[in-house]
Amino acid sequence: MMQLDDKVVLVTGAGNGLGAATAIACARAGARIWLVDRDAEGLAAVAAQIEALGGTCGSFTANLSLRQICFDAVEAAIAHFGRLDGLCNIAGITLFHRICDVTEADWQKTLAIILSAPFYLSQAAIPELIRNRGSIVNVASSGGIKGTSYTVPYSAAKAGVIHMTKCMAMEFINEPIRINAVAPGGMITNIMGGNPIPQDLDFNLISRFSGIRPPVDPSEVANLIVYVLSDATPSLHGAILSADGGVTAD
Ligand SMILES: NC(=O)c1ccc[n+]([C@@H]2O[C@H](COP(=O)([O-])OP(=O)(O)OC[C@H]3O[C@@H](n4cnc5c(N)ncnc54)[C@H](O)[C@@H]3O)[C@@H](O)[C@H]2O)c1
């Protein structure tokens, strides 16, 4: 019996980086995966990898910045597989700007995907997850724990994810559902996409947040998420698990 046998898990951000690693790790652990991302090509590549492993998955291409789309993503998963046992909120973006240069659009789109989407996806999924004694894993960040320069919308939203996780855990303390967060440190992924760090920022301030240890391997975080989703952790509820090489211990 594998860790996630018989479970159906919805993974957002599944087209790249940590979400892709998590989807593949969940499939290796025996789960059927509902892959969600706005990147259709990334989803197709991850679906092909899961199928090559003998796993089962379905894909849903969508921008999760709207409440209704989040509900549609969850409903489509349940319609496709007939159930849902796990929700991994992983999709995200990071933008580096001085506070006074953050536009309203940057603020809104960062909060929409980092904080609002996990909230709406949870709203949509919780009744089904309670029916199945299921689990939510939110991906936060060391930036949601420790002060960072030039990423206020991102880091404030990740702090919101951490507190949302604790509040949801308390609200459902008497229900058969577990709600936790994993907070990675820096991982080498494509999260900056087409928005590299502007060269005129003070890199001394940025490097104060960098870890002393090497970057975190997304596959390590993915395996941690599988463990948190699994039935091996019945008392893990409302926990924020850091995987950051000690960055937030400083
Ligand atoms: N990379 C890091 O250093 C780091 C550190 C801590 C936490 N994280 C968190 O890990 C998570 C995954 O990031 P990653 O590093 O794998 O980056 P990534 O860019 O490789 O993956 C993010 C995925 O989210 C998807 N996405 C972004 N906005 C979306 C939207 N509006 N709708 C649907 N999909 C959307 C992207 O298409 C992409 O596939 C994020 O929540 C990020 O904040 C990353």
Side-chain angles (χ1 to χ4, degrees):
M1 174 102 177
M2 290 194 284
Q3 277 171 296
L4 301 181
D5 265 349
D6 303 325
K7 294 192 192 297
V8 172
V9 178
L10 188 162
V11 179
T12 76
N16 296 280
L18 177 60
T22 300
I24 291 164
C26 287
R28 282 187 198 280
R32 289 169 285 161
I33 318 298
W34 191 240
L35 306 163
V36 181
D37 204 294
R38 62 182 176 183
D39 176 0
E41 273 181 33
L43 286 182
V46 172
Q49 286 186 66
I50 289 175
E51 281 153 16
L53 291 168
T56 304
C57 62
S59 299
F60 189 86
T61 306
N63 184 333
L64 295 167
S65 296
L66 289 177
R67 181 179 191 272
Q68 187 56 51
I69 303 288
C70 294
F71 275 72
D72 292 347
V74 170
E75 281 164 19
I78 297 169
H80 186 84
F81 288 118
R83 62 182 292 131
L84 186 67
D85 304 277
L87 167 65
C88 300
N89 285 311
I90 303 182
I93 56 170
T94 310
L95 301 173
F96 277 73
H97 290 301
R98 289 188 172 83
I99 287 168
C100 294
D101 295 334
V102 174
T103 64
E104 186 179 359
D106 291 340
W107 177 261
Q108 297 293 358
K109 78 177 170 193
T110 304
L111 263 70
I113 188 59
I114 299 285
L115 184 57
S116 302
F119 177 74
Y120 295 139
L121 288 153
S122 300
Q123 270 192 319
I126 280 170
E128 170 72 5
L129 295 177
I130 288 175
R131 268 192 291 280
N132 297 332
R133 313 187 79 79
S135 173
I136 297 174
V137 182
N138 294 318
V139 169
S141 168
S142 46
I145 298 170
K146 200 168 163 168
T148 61
S149 307
Y150 307 127
T151 57
V152 167
Y154 174 84
S155 296
K158 287 295 192 185
V161 168
I162 288 171
H163 207 62
M164 180 175 77
T165 301
K166 293 181 183 180
C167 292
M168 286 189 180
M170 285 313 298
E171 186 161 331
F172 293 104
I173 196 83
N174 289 318
E175 305 288 343
I177 183 171
R178 294 182 306 104
I179 304 172
N180 295 288
V182 165
M187 299 178 286
I188 297 180
T189 65
N190 196 29
I191 193 157
M192 301 302 297
N195 303 289
I197 300 176
Q199 288 302 306
D200 63 336
L201 299 184
D202 180 346
F203 277 70
N204 287 325
L205 286 183
I206 294 171
S207 67
R208 287 177 69 163
F209 183 69
S210 301
I212 291 169
R213 294 193 171 188
V216 179
D217 183 342
S219 67
E220 177 194 342
V221 182
N223 289 334
L224 178 61
I225 293 171
V226 168
Y227 180 61
V228 175
L229 280 173
S230 77
D231 295 335
T233 57
S235 63
L236 208 61
H237 183 55
I240 314 300
L241 301 172
S242 288
D244 63 12
V247 165
T248 52
D250 188 7

